Amino acid sequence: MIALTHHWIHRLGYAGLIPFVTLTLIIWTWPALHWPGEVLLAYGALIFCFVGAIHFGFGIADERMTPGGIIWSIMPVAMATPMLLAPPALGLPLVAAGLVLAWTLDQTLFETILPPWYRNLRDKLTAGAVLALMIGWLGVM
């Protein structure tokens, strides 16, 4: 059962990169369009919130989660709100920085709570998302 769960988490995680890549390609292919940058910003902010919410879930499932981890789980929502109000030229690098911050916390403060397979997956997914956000940002400048 665990292997099946990991299989689906990996597949869905990588599928989550498709909108990042697609929107970034649209930004560069049709630079006169404004909506792809706005949608990329919104999608990135939602993923940032999702990554934080994972800590809330771990807190429910694992008693080792600290109060700081639970508090962190809601911080991306608070941080994403002003990011979403910014234009893509400002918001995209902010979301990228938020994802890097979340990844850093997962790799350091929560390394004993989050399973190694998840941290390894996060390495790849965060790199892909941040790369797409930054390339998209260059396209909206």
Side-chain angles (χ1 to χ4, degrees):
M1 183 66 146
I2 290 175
L4 182 62
T5 301
H6 291 186
H7 170 79
W8 278 103
I9 290 171
H10 278 80
R11 283 185 176 245
L12 292 171
Y14 286 115
L17 291 176
I18 294 170
F20 282 110
V21 173
T22 302
L23 290 163
T24 299
L25 288 172
I26 293 170
I27 288 169
W28 279 92
T29 305
W30 294 284
L33 297 176
H34 295 285
W35 66 265
E38 294 167 0
V39 175
L40 181 61
L41 172 59
Y43 183 73
L46 288 170
I47 294 300
F48 179 42
C49 293
F50 177 80
V51 167
I54 289 170
H55 290 270
F56 199 87
F58 273 112
I60 292 169
D62 190 330
E63 294 177 1
R64 295 178 297 158
M65 182 59 78
T66 64
I70 298 299
I71 292 168
W72 162 250
S73 74
I74 63 166
M75 294 309 296
V77 173
M79 295 166 69
T81 302
M83 292 174 186
L84 285 168
L85 296 173
L90 177 60
L92 291 172
L94 290 175
V95 171
L99 288 172
V100 170
L101 172 64
W103 173 83
T104 302
L105 292 174
D106 283 358
Q107 301 301 324
T108 56
L109 298 179
F110 303 113
E111 70 177 329
T112 60
I113 296 169
L114 301 173
W117 67 266
Y118 171 75
R119 291 193 328 269
N120 183 40
L121 178 63
R122 276 293 308 284
D123 291 347
K124 297 171 181 115
L125 296 179
T126 300
V130 168
L131 182 62
L133 287 165
M134 296 311 294
I135 292 171
W137 171 67
L138 291 172
V140 300
M141 293 300 293

